Amino acid sequence: MKTMLKKLKEVSIAQWIAIFIFVSMGISMVFITIQVFLAPIEQTPGEPKVTLRSDYIFLLFECVLGVIILLLPTILSHRFKFEIPGLVYILFLVFLYASIYLGTVQKFYSTVPHWDKILHTFSGAMLGAIGFSFVNLLNNDKHVVMKMKPGFISVFAFCFAVTLGAFWEIYEYTFDGLMNLNMQRYAMSNGTPLVGREALADTMGDIIVDVIGSLVFVLIGYWSLKKGRPWMKNFEFTKKKMKAGAVK
């Protein structure tokens, strides 16, 4: 009993958050799997709009993807022997929960105004932080000969964040086409397709706020590196220390 209590005390806040998200995703996956078999295949003409089987299949895919992404940082840190800063991991978990569980499963994207734009801005800043962390990990590695200056680190972090934001838009475009979804808001809620700039407004708005979020963080990070501010160390990945007697 004492051993169990000691292990529980050793679990960090980030790990508790990860467990909470994992349980939430698991419960949702059970519910969604049941609905896949109960939901209608097609919309009945003249009847109120209902959630179709294809919608539940996509929700199930999102939850499975969320669980995989949840496990990804732990897998990568073990594989490449680095420590993920607690603050970065918590930001990652909050974004994952807000985007996949709240946004998709609980339908915040359609019920909470500007939820999508808030998350894109947040993700731009978070990915900028991860970009900074990755380059600093290389910068502090004794095996890397070239030392990168704050300007290069900032440019890399910005490009890293914006590139991943662009990949997300490709993901939305692909699944809109494959499963007849409307993640890129190219049509109104009643199915009426938008035309011209209106059809591009959501996608371009997402990219713009991605750029703004990442740019703000990158500028702050650049200033911090130039001035030697210690708070940026909260975002730095570090190499895992080898245990005594471990084989290298």
Side-chain angles (χ1 to χ4, degrees):
M1 186 68 179
K2 289 182 179 179
T3 305
M4 185 182 297
L5 290 174
K6 185 178 179 181
K7 287 183 178 179
L8 286 175
K9 288 180 180 179
E10 291 174 353
V11 177
S12 66
I13 295 175
Q15 289 172 321
W16 279 118
I17 295 173
I19 292 169
F20 172 75
I21 296 174
F22 187 83
V23 172
S24 300
M25 293 286 193
I27 294 172
S28 298
M29 287 168 66
V30 172
F31 171 77
I32 293 168
T33 301
I34 295 171
Q35 293 301 313
V36 167
F37 296 99
L38 298 178
I41 298 176
E42 296 180 350
Q43 179 71 39
T44 304
E47 294 292 326
K49 189 175 181 181
V50 297
T51 306
L52 302 177
R53 181 176 296 177
S54 59
D55 297 321
Y56 282 114
I57 291 174
F58 176 73
L59 282 176
L60 185 60
F61 170 80
E62 286 263 294
C63 286
V64 172
L65 183 63
V67 171
I68 293 172
I69 295 173
L70 180 63
L71 298 173
L72 193 59
T74 303
I75 294 171
L76 291 176
S77 67
H78 283 301
R79 173 65 180 82
F80 297 104
K81 303 294 186 297
F82 65 85
E83 296 282 354
I84 299 175
L87 180 58
V88 172
Y89 190 45
I90 289 174
L91 291 175
F92 170 77
L93 292 174
V94 168
F95 173 74
L96 186 67
Y97 184 75
S99 61
I100 295 181
Y101 183 76
L102 294 180
T104 304
V105 178
Q106 298 299 328
K107 301 180 180 179
F108 274 36
Y109 284 126
S110 55
T111 58
V112 178
H114 310 298
W115 187 256
D116 185 39
K117 296 297 180 286
I118 293 169
L119 287 184
H120 271 280
T121 306
F122 180 85
S123 70
M126 180 189 68
L127 292 171
I130 294 174
F132 263 103
S133 302
F134 179 71
V135 178
N136 269 321
L137 179 64
L138 295 177
N139 232 13
N140 296 326
D141 191 332
K142 63 181 180 181
H143 299 295
V144 178
V145 178
M146 184 178 66
K147 294 296 180 182
M148 290 156 277
K149 294 182 178 180
F152 177 85
I153 295 175
S154 302
V155 170
F156 175 87
F158 176 75
C159 293
F160 176 83
V162 174
T163 299
L164 290 185
F167 277 126
W168 180 260
E169 294 303 318
I170 293 172
Y171 159 79
E172 288 188 345
Y173 175 81
T174 301
F175 276 86
D176 277 352
L178 291 176
M179 304 192 70
N180 195 29
L181 301 173
N182 190 29
M183 288 192 289
Q184 292 194 306
R185 304 294 187 270
Y186 61 87
M188 299 174 67
S189 57
N190 61 6
T192 304
L194 299 172
V195 180
R197 289 177 62 87
E198 288 185 343
L200 298 172
D202 181 76
T203 300
M204 291 308 303
D206 289 347
I207 293 174
I208 289 169
V209 294
D210 280 338
V211 169
I212 292 173
S214 57
L215 185 61
V216 168
F217 186 89
V218 162
L219 290 175
I220 294 172
Y222 174 78
W223 177 80
S224 177
L225 290 176
K226 289 287 287 186
K227 299 295 182 180
R229 303 301 182 188
W231 72 271
M232 277 298 290
K233 290 188 178 296
N234 294 321
F235 298 96
E236 289 184 6
F237 290 0
T238 55
K239 284 282 187 180
K240 284 186 176 180
K241 294 180 180 179
M242 298 293 290
K243 293 183 179 179
V247 179
K248 292 184 179 181

